[in-house]
Amino acid sequence: MKFDSIGLCGPPKSGKTVLAKRLVNDYDLRLVYAGEECKKMYNLWKGDDSARQNVSFKEWWANREYCTNDVLYELNGKLRDMAKKGEILLDSRYLAVNSLGLPNVLNVLVDAPLEVRIDRTFRNSNQKPVKTLEEIRRELIER
């Protein structure tokens, strides 16, 4: 079977980005991060409305009065259309919505044990002050 697109799914720090960069080069695909597409929708929602400027992305995503089902439907439809057209590598936590059942998309689950993901986050952290391992654990589980 021939695949025109690849979908990568998995939790944060599981290795999706490293694998995606290799596959994009090897197969001449365009890399699409679902999270970046979602942030574009968030920025459109914020616009120039001063009342919305204090709403963080995390708050927007969690609140269905802000990030409505219609917004999610539009976003997922856009990502699904991109995958259908082919020649992309889609990095998404929601491949079941974005590309499941599309015969031209190879869907791959990338995973790593929680302890490995915590270690990757801790070693690659450029935040000051550095978070504790327990804080990183809580964040990764929450995400």
Side-chain angles (χ1 to χ4, degrees):
M1 175 174 267
K2 182 180 182 315
F3 297 104
D4 300 318
S5 293
I6 299 172
L8 295 182
C9 179
K13 299 296 181 187
S14 61
K16 293 185 308 289
T17 301
V18 171
L19 179 58
K21 288 177 180 176
R22 290 183 68 186
L23 292 173
V24 164
N25 290 331
D26 290 350
Y27 294 100
D28 196 29
L29 299 170
R30 182 172 58 97
L31 182 55
V32 176
Y33 291 105
E36 291 302 317
E37 295 300 318
C38 189
K39 286 177 184 158
K40 288 178 189 175
M41 302 282 281
Y42 163 68
N43 286 324
L44 285 172
W45 174 83
K46 275 178 48 172
D48 294 330
D49 186 333
S50 60
R52 293 180 173 182
Q53 298 308 307
N54 292 329
V55 178
S56 71
F57 175 77
K58 188 176 179 180
E59 291 170 306
W60 176 79
W61 178 252
N63 186 330
R64 288 298 161 252
E65 289 181 31
Y66 298 151
C67 180
T68 65
N69 288 334
D70 288 343
V71 168
L72 293 175
Y73 185 80
E74 180 182 343
L75 172 66
N76 288 319
K78 178 181 176 182
L79 294 170
R80 192 168 178 82
D81 287 345
M82 282 192 240
K84 273 186 200 176
K85 288 178 185 170
E87 298 184 356
I88 71 162
L89 188 145
L90 177 60
D91 180 342
S92 171
R93 290 196 205 151
Y94 304 103
L95 285 181
V97 175
N98 303 142
S99 62
L100 192 65
L102 296 179
N104 67 314
V105 181
L106 173 65
N107 289 311
V108 179
L109 172 64
V110 180
D111 201 2
L114 180 59
E115 295 306 317
V116 170
R117 296 171 40 227
I118 292 168
D119 183 61
R120 287 175 181 166
T121 304
F122 188 75
R123 282 187 291 119
N124 297 327
S125 179
N126 52 5
Q127 299 172 357
K128 307 267 189 271
V130 175
K131 296 178 180 176
T132 67
L133 291 176
E134 191 53 41
E135 289 170 324
I136 293 170
R137 173 188 296 278
R138 280 194 304 271
E139 273 186 17
L140 288 174
I141 291 171
E142 181 182 301
R143 287 177 58 196

